[in-house]
Amino acid sequence: MARITILDPTAPPPSGQHGPGPDAGPLDGKIVGIRSDRTWRSFEWVADEWSTSLASTAEAVTRWCAGNRIGGEGERTAAELETFAAGVDVAVVGLGN
């Protein structure tokens, strides 16, 4: 019987990146941004819930949906990302899963 080798293309997790990141502190008076994309549509439901919850504390909640990363749309996405990042005090950019 012949044997085959199955290769696992999964990269190992990055080392040295532990924890959820820095504490955002109190959100009073801060602009909170929520970044999403079109790859995981159910995240939109999560973002809707967070937006509603955060609106009671934060000064404002802004949402941004990232586009493609290549070609003309990639350039537009990069420019929009710069604008989004510059316009928020705290950003939720994913679930980390």
Side-chain angles (χ1 to χ4, degrees):
M1 176 182 279
R3 291 185 170 243
I4 62 170
T5 301
I6 299 174
L7 302 176
D8 181 359
T10 307
S15 63
Q17 295 185 5
H18 305 287
D23 187 327
L27 297 179
D28 296 13
K30 291 185 179 176
I31 299 172
V32 178
I34 299 175
R35 179 243 184 243
S36 62
D37 56 40
R38 293 178 187 89
T39 56
W40 189 30
R41 301 296 287 212
S42 60
F43 183 74
E44 294 300 316
W45 293 334
V46 173
D48 288 344
E49 293 295 321
W50 287 351
S51 293
T52 301
S53 178
L54 290 166
S56 66
T57 305
E59 178 179 323
V61 178
T62 184
R63 307 245 319 246
W64 176 64
C65 183
N68 278 334
R69 299 343 178 247
I70 58 172
E73 190 173 349
E75 292 174 13
R76 185 170 51 253
T77 296
E80 289 175 1
L81 174 59
E82 289 291 326
T83 301
F84 172 74
V88 299
D89 300 303
V90 176
V92 177
V93 297
L95 296 176
N97 55 355

